[in-house]
C-alpha cells in the first residue's frame, strides 16, 4: 500500500492507519486509460421532514410518504452479503444508532465484518446531515461529535468516515467546510449549488475544487477538497431501479420478450461520456439512489450487477469504459492519485438558486420561533447542562432532585443531546418541515430541557450546599413567572456559561410597588423594573429579592416621548414627527450616524403580472417577492416612553401586529430593539414576509458582511458573486444571505453591527441600508416537496404565530469593531441561566462560585466543557477572532490548562481533532494542490481539542 500513499506521512506502527489502508485497499481496482465510472449505492434519509424522525425510522405514516429506514438497513445488509462486490454507504447516525440497538449480537458481528471489509462505509457520520444556513457552529460540532463517537466506539477506526457528504442542504457555508477540514475529512461532496455557478463550473471543469475555508487558519488546516455531484444526488436519468421508480429493469434473457441490454448499455455509455466531459479526471461518480431508497435493495443491486457486467463486457471489443461499485472515499482516492491542481475557492455557496426566480433564501427565516427555541436550547441544554455536570461531578447525575440526564455510556445517549442533534438536520432548524414535524422537534427539545433541569438542580445544590427547591421560569420572554409574580421574598441564581465575567440586565415580572434587590454580598442593587446582574466566569452568583411595598407596579409611563435617550456610551435620537429612530451616536468614540428604522412587508401575490416570468411563489424554502419595493407598514409609530434608573425605553406601535421596544440599559454599549411581529394578517389573501430595515448614512458602496454559522465573517456585495459573473434576476431574494448571529455595514469611519438572537435572512439592497427578515407567513406551497404553506398557528396563537426577538445594535470605529461585537454576539448565544428559590436561603448557602481560577482572555472562548467518560472531560478552547479583525485580540494567546479550573485537577491532556474522534497526532489528511498561489495568512492555533 505504501506506493499508493507516497505523500502521506506513514506511521505504520499506528493500528488505525493500518486499518485505514485496509479500507482503502478494499476499493475495487480501477483501469488506467479508461473512463472509470464509480457507482455509489446510497440512500438519503432525512432525520425528519414530511414525517418525524421516528415515523421515518419505523416506516409509519406511509400515507404521507412511503419511507421506512429500518427496512432499508435490513434489506441492504442482506443484499451486501449476497455479493461481496457490492458496496453501500450510510450517512445519518441518528437512524443507524436506532437500528443498531435493535440488532442481535450475531447481526452486529455481521455488520462489523461488512464495515471492516469496506463493503458498508460510513460517510459524514454525524447524528444528522446538518443545515448549513441556519445552524450555529457550536451545535454542529456537537452533533458531529455525537455521531462520530458512536461510530468510533462501535466500529473503531474502520468506522471513521473519511468523506463529508452534504448532498441535500440548500447552499453551503464556508464555516462548515472549515469544520469538516478540522474534523479530519479528506474531502467533501454535495449536490446543490446555484444553477449559474454550476453552468460555469461545468464549462471550466471546476466542479471539483479546493475550498480554502478560513482566512485565518494556515493552509492546509482549513482546506477541503470539494466535489459537486453530477446529478444532485440522484441516479442518471433512466437508471433508477428503486421500488419507487419506474425505469425499465435490465431484461437480459434473449429468449424472452423485450430484451433491452443493448439499449441500456448504449444509454449508459452516452451518459457516462457526456459526464466525463465536464470533469477533470478519468474517474466519474454516479449516485445510485435517492430519498429513502433501498427499502427493497434487491431491485437496485440486481440491476446494478447486470449493468456492471454488460458495460464491462464491451471492453473485450475495445470499449474504454469501466464501471465499478464504489464509495465516495474510493472515488476520492482516485482523484487524489490523479495528482492534479484544483481551482481554489475562498467564498461560500450562498445563496442557492435552482432557477432565475427560485432563490432558496426564504428558509433563512422560516419558523422564527423554532429557530429561537433551538438557539436557547443550545445554550441551556448543550452548554450549561454539560458544564454544570463537569463542575459539580457525580452529584449532578444523582441528587436530591432525581436522576439527571447524562451520558456516560453511549448506548444511553442523553435525551437533551439527541434532541439538539436532530434539530440541526437540514429540514429541522431550517424550518422546511411539515408543521407536525416542527412540533415534534420542539417537543423533543422541551423534553430534553425537563431532564436537564434535574441535572442543573442537582449541580447547583451540590455547588451551593443548599437543596432548596429550584424553580425555572421558561416563559420570561412573555413576562410570565409564577414565582416572582407571587412571592414576597425569593432569590435568583444567575449562572454564567461564559469564561469571563459578564453583566446582564435581568427583567422579572413582579406584582408590587417596590422591591429590595441585594447581591451576594448583601449590597443592595439599584432596581426598578430591571436590574443588572454580574456573574463570575463559568459560575454563578445569587441575588435576593424582597417585596417592600404591595400594590400595583408604579406607573412610569410618560406621555411625551423624548427626542433622545442616552447613557454614558450611546445616544439615540427620535424624529418627533414620526416617532422613528433618527440617529445613533457612540459617545466614547464621538461618532454619529443617521439611522432610521422601519418595518415593511414583501409579498408574493399569485395573481400578479410577474407570473409572466415565473409563477414561483414564496414558501418554506423560497423567497420570491413580486416587487422590489416593500410595503411600508406605517410611516409613523405611536410612541410611549419609560425611564427608570436601569433602563430607558421607547415603545413604538406600527400596527396592531407590529411593535417594538427601543431599549437602552444604563451599562450597555448596545442598543436593544425588541420587536414583536404577529399575527401576520392574511385577511387580504396575501402572505407576508416581514422585514425591518435600517437606513443609515454609512457609505457602503454595495458591501456588507455576514457571519458564517456564527463564526468567521464574510464580505458580501449586492448583485455580485466572487466566482462568476452574476446575471441577477431577483433583486431582493437574490441578495439575501444567512445571518446566524451578526451582520454589519461599514465605511472608513463607521461600522454598524447588528447582533441577532437567532438565524435570520438579510441583505443590503441599497447603499447604507441593512435589512433583516423577521417573520414569514405564506399561503402557498413553494413546490419543493414540503407540500404545505408556511402558515404557522398554535394553541396560544390560533390567529397566527406571534414572534418576539431582539436585535442589538452597536456603533464602532471599523478597525476595532470586532472587539465589541464578538463578545456581544456571544452573550446572546450563551445566555445566563436563571433559577429561582422561594423564601429565605439557608444561611450556609454558598452564594457565589466560579469554576475557573481566573477569567480567560477575551480572545479565547470556552466552547465545550463536557464530561466525556468517568475520568475525562472534553474541553474545547477557541481563538475566536479572525486574523485581520483586531489589533488587540487577533494575536495568538497562551492558556495554562493547569491553572484553568478551580474544581478540577488536570492530570493529563491529549489533543484530538475537532470532532474528538481521532487523536491529533494520528490525523493525516490528503494533501491537495491549489491551482493558484496559496495566499499569505498568519499562523493561528484556533482550536485545542483536549481531554484531560
Ligand atoms: C463483440 O464483437 C463481436 C463481433 O462483432 C460480437 O459478436 C460480440 O457480441 C461483441 N461482444 C459484446 C459484448 O458486445
Ligand atoms: C505530482 O505532480 C508533481 C508536479 O507535477 C510531481 O512533482 C510529483 O512527482 C507528482 N507526484 C506523484 C506521486 O506522481
Ligand atoms: C398581586 O398582588 C395582589 C395583592 O397586592 C394579589 O391580590 C394578587 O393575587 C397578586 N397577583 C399574583 C399573580 O400573584
Ligand atoms: C392559514 O391559517 C389560518 C388559521 O389557521 C387558516 O384559517 C387559513 O385557511 C390558512 N391558510 C392556508 C392557505 O393554509
Ligand atoms: C475510539 O473508540 C475506542 C474504543 O472505545 C477508544 O478506545 C478510543 O479512545 C476512541 N478514540 C478516540 C479518539 O476517542
Ligand atoms: Zn434531505
Amino acid at each position: 500500500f505504501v506506493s499508493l500513499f507516497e505523500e502521506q506521512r506513514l506511521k505504520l506502527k499506528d493500528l488505525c492507519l493500518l486499518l485505514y489502508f485496509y479500507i482503502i485497499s478494499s476499493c475495487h481496482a480501477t483501469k488506467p486509460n479508461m473512463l472509470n465510472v464509480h457507482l455509489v449505492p446510497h440512500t438519503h434519509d432525512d432525520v425528519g421532514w414530511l414525517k418525524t424522525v421516528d415515523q421515518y425510522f419505523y416506516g409509519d405514516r406511509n400515507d404521507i410518504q412511503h419511507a421506512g429506514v429500518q427496512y432499508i438497513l435490513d434489506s441492504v445488509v442482506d443484499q451486501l452479503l449476497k455479493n461481496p462486490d457490492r458496496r453501500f454507504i450510510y450517512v445519518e447516525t441518528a437512524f443507524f444508532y436506532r437500528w443498531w440497538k435493535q440488532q442481535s449480537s450475531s447481526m452486529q458481528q455481521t455488520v462489523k465484518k461488512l464495515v471492516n471489509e469496506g463493503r458498508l462505509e460510513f460517510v459524514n457520520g454525524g447524528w444528522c446531515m446538518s443545515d448549513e444556513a441556519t445552524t450555529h457552529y457550536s451545535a454542529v460540532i456537537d452533533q458531529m461529535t455525537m455521531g462520530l463517537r458512536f461510530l468510533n466506539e462501535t466500529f473503531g477506526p474502520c468506522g471513521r468516515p473519511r468523506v463529508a457528504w452534504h448532498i441535500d442542504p440548500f447552499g453551503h457555508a464556508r464555516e462548515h467546510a472549515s469544520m469538516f477540514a478540522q474534523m479530519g475529512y479528506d474531502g467533501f461532496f454535495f449536490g446543490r449549488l446555484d444553477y449559474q455557478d454550476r453552468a460555469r463550473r461545468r464549462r471550466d471543469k471546476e466542479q471539483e475544487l479546493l475550498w480554502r475555508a478560513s482566512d485565518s487558519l494556515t493552509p492546509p488546516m482549513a482546506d477541503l477538497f470539494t466535489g459537486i455531484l453530477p446529478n444532485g444526488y440522484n441516479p442518471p436519468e433512466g437508471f433508477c431501479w428503486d421500488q419507487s421508480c419506474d425505469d425499465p429493469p435490465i431484461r437480459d434473457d434473449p429468449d424472452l420478450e423485450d430484451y433491452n441490454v443493448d439499449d441500456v448499455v448504449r444509454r449508459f455509455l452516452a451518459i457516462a461520456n457526456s459526464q466525463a466531459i465536464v470533469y477533470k479526471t478519468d474517474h466519474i461518480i454516479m449516485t445510485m439512489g435517492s430519498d429513502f431508497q433501498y427499502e427493497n435493495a434487491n431491485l437496485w443491486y440486481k440491476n446494478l450487477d447486470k449493468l456492471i457486467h454488460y458495460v464491462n463486457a464491451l471492453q473485450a471489443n475495445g470499449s474504454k469504459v469501466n464501471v465499478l461499485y464504489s464509495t465516495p472515499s474510493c472515488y476520492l482516492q482516485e482523484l487524489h492519485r490523479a495528482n492534479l491542481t484544483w481551482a481554489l475557492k475562498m467564498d461560500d455557496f450562498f445563496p442557492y438558486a435552482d432557477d432565475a426566480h427560485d432563490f432558496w433564501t426564504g428558509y433563512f427565516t422560516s419558523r422564527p420561533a423554532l429557530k429561537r427555541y433551538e438557539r436557547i436550547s443550545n445554550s441551556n441544554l448543550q452548554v450549561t447542562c454539560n458544564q454544570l455536570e463537569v463542575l459539580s461531578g457525580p452529584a449532578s447525575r444523582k441528587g436530591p432532585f432525581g436522576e439527571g440526564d447524562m451520558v456516560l455510556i453511549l448506548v444511553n445517549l442523553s435525551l437533551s443531546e439527541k434532541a439538539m442533534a436532530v434539530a440541526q438536520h437540514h429540514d429541522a432548524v431550517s424550518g422546511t418541515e411539515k408543521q407536525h414535524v416542527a412540533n415534534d422537534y420542539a417537543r423533543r427539545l422541551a423534553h430534553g430541557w425537563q431532564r436537564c433541569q434535574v441535572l442543573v438542580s442537582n449541580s447547583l445544590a451540590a455547588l451551593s450546599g443548599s437543596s432548596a427547591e429550584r424553580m425555572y421560569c421558561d416563559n420570561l420572554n412573555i413576562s410570565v413567572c409564577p414565582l416572582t409574580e407571587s412571592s414576597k421574598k425569593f432569590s435568583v441564581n444567575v449562572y454564567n456559561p461564559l469564561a469571563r465575567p459578564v453583566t446582564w440586565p435581568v427583567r422579572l415580572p413582579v406584582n408590587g410597588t417596590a422591591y429590595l434587590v441585594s447581591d451576594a454580598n448583601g449590597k443592595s442593587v439599584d432596581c426598578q423594573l430591571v436590574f443588572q446582574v454580574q456573574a463570575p466566569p463559568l459560575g454563578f452568583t445569587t441575588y435576593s429579592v424582597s417585596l417592600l411595598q404591595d400594590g400595583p407596579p408604579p406607573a412610569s409611563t410618560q406621555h411625551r416621548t423624548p427626542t433622545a435617550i442616552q447613557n454614558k456610551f450611546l445616544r439615540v435620537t427620535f424624529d418627533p414627527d414620526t416617532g422613528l429612530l433618527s440617529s445613533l451616536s457612540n459617545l466614547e468614540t464621538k461618532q454619529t450616524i443617521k439611522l432610521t428604522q422601519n418595518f415593511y412587508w414583501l409579498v408574493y401575490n399569485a395573481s400578479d403580472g410577474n407570473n409572466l416570468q415565473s409563477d414561483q411563489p414564496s414558501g418554506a424554502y423560497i423567497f420570491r417577492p413580486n416587487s422590489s419595493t416593500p410595503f411600508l407598514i406605517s410611516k409613523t409609530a405611536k410612541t410611549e416612553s419609560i425611564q427608570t434608573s436601569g433602563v430607558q425605553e421607547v415603545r413604538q406601535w406600527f400596527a396592531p401586529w407590529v411593535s417594538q421596544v427601543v431599549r437602552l440599559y444604563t451599562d450597555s454599549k448596545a442598543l436593544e430593539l425588541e420587536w414583536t411581529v404577529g399575527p401576520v394578517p392574511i385577511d387580504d389573501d396575501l402572505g407576508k414576509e416581514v422585514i425591518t430595515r435600517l437606513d443609515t448614512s454609512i457609505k457602503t458602496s454595495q458591501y456588507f458582511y455576514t457571519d458564517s454559522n456564527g463564526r468567521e465573517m464574510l464580505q458580501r456585495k449586492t448583485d455580485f458573486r466572487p466566482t462568476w459573473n452574476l446575471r441577477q434576476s431577483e433583486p431582493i431574494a437574490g441578495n439575501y444571505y444567512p445571518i446566524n448571529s451578526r451582520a454589519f455595514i461599514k465605511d472608513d469611519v463607521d461600522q454598524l453591527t447588528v447582533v441577532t438572537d437567532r438565524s435570520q435572512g438579510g441583505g443590503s439592497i441599497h447603499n447604507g441600508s441593512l435589512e433583516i427578515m423577521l417573520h414569514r407567513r405564506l399561503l402557498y406551497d413553494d413546490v419543493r416537496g414540503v407540500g404545505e404553506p408556511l402558515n404557522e398557528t398554535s394553541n396560544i396563537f390560533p390567529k397566527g404565530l406571534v414572534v418576539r426577538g431582539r436585535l442589538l445594535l452597536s456603533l464602532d470605529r471599523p478597525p476595532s469593531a470586532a472587539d465589541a461585537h464578538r463578545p456581544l454576539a456571544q452573550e446572546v448565544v450563551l445566555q445566563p441561566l436563571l433559577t429561582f428559590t422561594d423564601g429565605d436561603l439557608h444561611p450556609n448557602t454558598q452564594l457565589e462560585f466560579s469554576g475557573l481560577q481566573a477569567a480567560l482572555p477575551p480572545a479565547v472562548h470556552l466552547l465545550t466543557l463536557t464530561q466525556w467518560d468517568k475520568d475525562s472531560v472534553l474541553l474545547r478552547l477557541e481563538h475566536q477572532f479572525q486574523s485581520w479583525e483586531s489589533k488587540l485580540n487577533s494575536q495568538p494567546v497562551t492558556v495554562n490548562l493547569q491553572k484553568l479550573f478551580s474544581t478540577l485537577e488536570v492530570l493529563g491532556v491529549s489533543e484530538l481533532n475537532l470532532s474528538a474522534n481521532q487523536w491529533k497526532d494520528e490525523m493525516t489528511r490528503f494533501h491537495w494542490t491549489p491551482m493558484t498561489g496559496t495566499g499569505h495568512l498568519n499562523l493561528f492555533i484556533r482550536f485545542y481539542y483536549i481531554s484531560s
Side-chain angles (χ1 to χ4, degrees):
F1 307 132
V2 175
S3 65
L4 293 182
F5 293 95
E6 306 86 347
E7 62 277 77
Q8 295 255 347
R9 273 189 305 129
L10 284 187
K11 288 195 284 175
L12 290 177
K13 67 180 191 324
D14 292 334
L15 176 66
C16 84
L17 273 183
L18 274 173
L19 284 166
Y20 163 53
F21 291 126
Y22 179 59
I23 294 182
I24 296 296
S25 73
S26 72
C27 295
H28 288 300
T30 58
K31 298 199 171 164
N33 309 318
M34 283 202 188
L35 174 63
N36 291 281
V37 185
H38 295 247
L39 302 181
V40 176
H42 81 106
T43 179
H44 176 64
D45 298 346
D46 289 306
V47 181
W49 180 40
L50 309 181
K51 309 203 287 190
T52 68
V53 50
D54 288 344
Q55 289 168 347
Y56 273 132
F57 177 70
Y58 280 117
D60 193 13
R61 293 302 310 270
N62 275 353
D63 56 318
I64 299 177
Q65 178 189 12
H66 188 104
V69 175
Q70 57 167 344
Y71 306 126
I72 294 173
L73 288 163
D74 289 344
S75 182
V76 161
V77 168
D78 211 37
Q79 289 300 318
L80 288 177
L81 295 172
K82 292 213 160 102
N83 175 354
D85 289 344
R86 293 175 178 173
R87 296 288 181 272
F88 197 72
I89 57 170
Y90 203 73
V91 179
E92 296 85 5
T93 304
F95 285 127
F96 189 84
Y97 163 84
R98 282 169 163 78
W99 183 82
W100 179 258
K101 279 201 314 180
Q102 300 178 357
Q103 302 310 305
S104 67
S105 66
S106 77
M107 178 51 102
Q108 291 183 345
Q109 286 312 316
T110 303
V111 172
K112 278 185 184 165
K113 185 164 177 288
L114 291 175
V115 172
N116 288 342
E117 292 172 6
R119 293 154 68 186
L120 174 61
E121 176 178 310
F122 292 102
V123 299
N124 216 59
W127 205 246
C128 69
M129 185 186 293
S130 53
D131 180 56
E132 300 194 41
T134 65
T135 46
H136 192 266
Y137 70 96
S138 64
V140 174
I141 293 171
D142 287 336
Q143 75 88 3
M144 290 303 297
T145 301
M146 209 167 116
L148 293 171
R149 180 176 187 184
F150 172 79
L151 293 179
N152 175 52
E153 298 196 348
T154 309
F155 298 103
C158 289
R160 186 166 60 79
R162 311 285 316 181
V163 165
W165 182 257
H166 268 211
I167 55 180
D168 197 23
F170 334 120
H172 301 281
R174 196 176 80 176
E175 196 58 38
H176 259 73
S178 172
M179 289 188 279
F180 288 146
Q182 297 173 70
M183 289 173 183
Y185 289 100
D186 279 324
F188 176 42
F189 291 93
F190 66 70
R192 297 180 188 272
L193 81 165
D194 183 278
Y195 71 108
Q196 294 180 29
D197 193 6
R198 185 189 283 274
R200 205 278 299 167
R201 289 181 180 280
R202 282 171 59 92
R203 212 168 43 238
D204 299 344
K205 295 195 184 190
E206 286 188 11
Q207 292 192 89
E208 287 163 334
L209 58 129
L210 187 60
W211 197 349
R212 182 147 294 165
S214 167
D215 55 18
S216 297
L217 292 168
T218 311
M221 274 175 90
D223 284 2
L224 188 66
F225 179 88
T226 300
I228 297 160
L229 296 167
N231 195 26
Y233 51 90
N234 297 305
E237 206 184 322
F239 291 85
C240 184
W241 286 309
D242 193 64
Q243 65 179 15
S244 64
C245 300
D246 303 321
D247 292 337
I250 297 183
R251 298 180 296 246
D252 54 347
D253 186 340
D255 296 339
L256 298 181
E257 295 297 306
D258 304 327
Y259 177 85
N260 69 352
V261 171
D262 299 340
D263 174 60
V264 170
V265 168
R266 188 180 43 75
R267 283 189 291 117
F268 185 81
L269 291 177
I271 289 172
N273 286 320
S274 68
Q275 189 177 320
I277 296 171
V278 292
Y279 286 90
K280 259 180 143 171
T281 70
D282 294 343
H283 296 265
I284 57 174
I285 185 171
M286 291 185 184
T287 43
M288 305 310 275
S290 192
D291 291 2
F292 296 97
Q293 293 197 355
Y294 285 78
E295 192 175 308
N296 182 352
N298 181 43
L299 276 65
W300 259 117
Y301 282 115
K302 193 166 203 165
N303 286 287
L304 287 174
D305 285 352
K306 290 180 185 178
L307 180 73
I308 292 169
H309 173 79
Y310 289 115
V311 173
N312 289 350
L314 283 183
Q315 289 169 12
N317 283 11
S319 163
K320 292 277 182 212
V321 175
N322 181 47
V323 195
L324 58 145
Y325 277 119
S326 188
T327 67
S329 68
C330 291
Y331 174 64
L332 188 71
Q333 177 195 225
E334 298 293 348
L335 299 184
H336 186 244
R337 283 169 73 180
N339 195 23
L340 304 177
T341 61
W342 306 93
L344 194 64
K345 178 174 173 82
M346 325 259 288
D347 61 323
D348 67 358
F349 289 95
F350 284 119
Y352 162 54
D354 57 15
D355 211 336
H357 301 284
D358 311 61
F359 279 86
W360 298 46
T361 52
Y363 79 100
F364 300 164
T365 297
S366 294
R367 300 194 186 280
L370 180 65
K371 283 183 163 67
R372 174 65 188 152
Y373 194 39
E374 183 276 332
R375 187 63 59 85
I376 315 172
S377 299
N378 184 41
S379 175
N380 287 347
L381 307 187
Q382 226 21 8
V383 178
T384 297
C385 224
N386 288 348
Q387 289 180 356
L388 279 170
E389 186 190 20
V390 171
L391 296 176
S392 65
S396 60
R397 273 157 250 147
K398 218 170 170 154
F401 302 102
E403 286 205 32
D405 181 30
M406 275 301 127
V407 205
L408 297 185
I409 20 168
L410 255 178
V411 267
N412 197 11
L413 284 164
S414 87
L415 258 178
S416 51
E417 289 189 302
K418 284 192 285 194
M420 270 308 292
V422 296
Q424 306 311 309
H425 166 61
H426 58 268
D427 295 303
V429 64
S430 58
T432 56
E433 64 284 66
K434 281 192 187 287
Q435 185 61 48
H436 79 105
V437 180
N439 296 345
D440 182 64
Y441 290 123
R443 186 190 54 75
R444 281 168 198 273
L445 292 172
H447 197 178
W449 182 219
Q450 284 167 10
R451 298 278 292 271
C452 186
Q453 285 177 349
V454 173
L455 186 144
V456 169
S457 292
N458 285 336
S459 300
L460 292 177
L463 295 172
S464 71
S466 155
S467 52
E469 191 194 350
R470 272 172 210 279
M471 276 165 267
Y472 297 80
C473 288
D474 296 338
N475 294 325
L476 281 178
N477 62 330
I478 52 166
S479 303
V480 171
C481 178
L483 175 75
T484 62
E485 287 173 79
S486 61
S487 171
K488 290 191 163 41
K489 185 161 190 1
F490 59 91
S491 64
V492 189
N493 179 298
V494 184
Y495 176 78
N496 170 14
L498 293 170
R500 56 189 169 82
V502 175
T503 304
W504 278 283
V506 165
R507 300 189 307 134
L508 300 174
V510 291
N511 181 24
T513 309
Y515 286 83
L516 175 69
V517 178
S518 40
D519 67 15
N521 301 318
K523 233 177 76 195
S524 74
V525 175
D526 196 6
C527 91
Q528 247 185 308
L529 252 178
V530 53
F531 57 101
Q532 299 276 344
V533 298
Q534 207 167 9
L538 209 70
F540 64 75
T541 188
T542 315
Y543 289 79
S544 74
V545 181
S546 26
L547 180 68
L548 291 177
Q549 196 185 339
D550 263 348
S556 46
T557 307
Q558 297 181 347
H559 291 287
R560 256 178 63 86
T561 300
T563 52
I565 54 177
Q566 76 176 70
N567 66 12
K568 52 185 182 289
F569 304 111
L570 290 180
R571 177 181 166 84
V572 189
T573 63
F574 294 84
D575 181 324
D577 298 328
T578 61
L580 303 177
L581 288 173
S582 57
S583 77
L584 178 63
S585 311
N586 182 327
L587 301 174
E588 289 183 303
T589 54
K590 302 198 169 35
Q591 59 188 132
T592 295
I593 56 166
K594 277 194 207 144
L595 168 67
T596 53
Q597 179 231 8
N598 211 328
F599 292 83
Y600 305 79
W601 52 272
L602 293 141
V603 66
Y604 176 76
N605 175 353
S607 62
D608 190 81
N610 211 19
N611 288 353
L612 293 176
Q613 288 170 341
S614 152
D615 56 7
Q616 176 65 56
S618 272
Y621 306 86
I622 305 265
F623 176 30
R624 171 105 207 284
N626 68 351
S627 154
S628 43
T629 314
F631 293 78
L632 185 58
I633 289 167
S634 171
K635 270 196 199 122
T636 59
K638 226 169 73 190
T639 61
E640 184 177 275
S641 90
I642 289 178
Q643 308 223 1
T644 72
S645 51
V647 67
Q648 303 168 66
E649 290 186 359
V650 173
R651 301 175 178 181
Q652 302 170 309
W653 281 269
F654 297 86
W657 55 283
V658 179
S659 62
Q660 178 172 261
V661 183
V662 179
R663 206 174 265 137
L664 191 57
Y665 292 105
T666 306
D667 290 321
S668 176
K669 294 188 173 185
L671 179 69
E672 177 177 311
L673 303 179
E674 188 184 59
W675 50 270
T676 303
V677 175
V680 176
I682 49 170
D683 40 12
D684 51 4
D685 287 330
L686 297 177
K688 294 179 184 61
E689 317 193 65
V690 181
I691 63 165
T692 186
R693 201 173 76 200
L694 302 156
D695 293 304
T696 73
S697 52
I698 298 174
K699 297 173 192 64
T700 57
S701 38
Q702 291 182 280
Y703 288 104
F704 64 114
Y705 301 80
T706 60
D707 63 329
S708 186
N709 296 129
R711 202 155 179 279
E712 294 191 349
M713 299 299 299
L714 291 178
Q715 188 185 58
R716 311 293 190 183
K717 191 178 178 194
T718 305
D719 294 329
F720 177 81
R721 305 285 186 266
T723 48
W724 83 89
N725 288 327
L726 174 72
R727 268 172 291 114
Q728 183 61 280
S729 42
E730 282 288 322
I732 300 191
N735 282 313
Y736 261 52
Y737 289 87
I739 300 170
N740 302 111
S741 75
R742 61 208 184 280
F744 61 77
I745 51 175
K746 66 170 186 177
D747 57 21
D748 292 342
V749 285
D750 298 309
Q751 174 170 330
L752 178 70
T753 308
V754 179
V755 170
T756 66
D757 64 351
R758 74 200 72 194
S759 292
Q760 292 168 321
S764 172
I765 310 295
H766 309 286
N767 277 340
S769 158
L770 183 65
E771 67 186 59
I772 294 179
M773 190 187 288
L774 305 174
H775 195 2
R776 338 174 61 215
R777 184 177 194 188
L778 302 165
L779 304 182
Y780 301 95
D781 175 52
D782 55 5
V783 231
R784 293 303 184 281
V786 73
E788 282 180 2
L790 186 68
N791 180 18
E792 292 178 283
T793 56
S794 76
N795 291 343
I796 311 174
F797 300 118
K799 295 210 158 87
L801 206 59
V802 179
V803 184
R804 173 174 291 169
R806 291 185 306 152
L807 301 175
L808 299 183
L809 269 50
S810 86
L811 178 65
D812 307 278
R813 295 287 179 209
S816 56
D819 296 338
H821 70 73
R822 287 254 170 210
L824 188 63
Q826 214 152 54
E827 287 162 31
V828 176
V829 171
L830 292 183
Q831 305 222 324
L833 177 69
L834 304 182
T835 57
F836 301 86
T837 43
D838 199 10
D840 283 310
L841 284 173
H842 190 275
N844 290 341
T845 305
Q846 190 180 336
L847 300 178
E848 272 199 300
F849 165 81
S850 172
L852 297 185
Q853 293 188 34
L856 284 175
V860 182
H861 174 49
L862 189 143
L863 179 61
T864 307
L865 177 62
T866 186
Q867 197 73 35
W868 185 257
D869 56 28
K870 221 164 99 282
D871 308 311
S872 61
V873 302
L874 178 68
L875 169 68
R876 290 192 184 97
L877 295 178
E878 171 194 355
H879 192 304
Q880 57 174 335
F881 282 81
Q882 267 161 283
S883 56
W884 46 268
E885 247 178 2
S886 164
K887 254 204 171 86
L888 193 66
N889 286 316
S890 289
Q891 304 305 319
V893 184
T894 303
V895 173
N896 184 338
L897 292 176
Q898 293 283 2
K899 294 197 177 142
L900 190 54
F901 295 105
S902 64
T903 61
L904 300 173
E905 195 189 343
V906 178
L907 300 178
V909 172
S910 336
E911 197 175 1
L912 293 145
N913 68 354
L914 178 57
S915 43
N917 64 328
Q918 203 183 11
W919 304 108
K920 193 70 184 282
D921 58 7
E922 287 171 355
M923 203 171 141
T924 49
R925 300 172 63 222
F926 281 158
H927 177 77
W928 303 89
T929 314
M931 233 146 61
T932 49
T934 55
H936 49 93
L937 294 157
N938 300 336
L939 176 69
F940 275 93
I941 306 297
R942 281 282 153 162
F943 285 90
Y944 303 86
Y945 323 105
I946 295 153
S947 96
S948 63

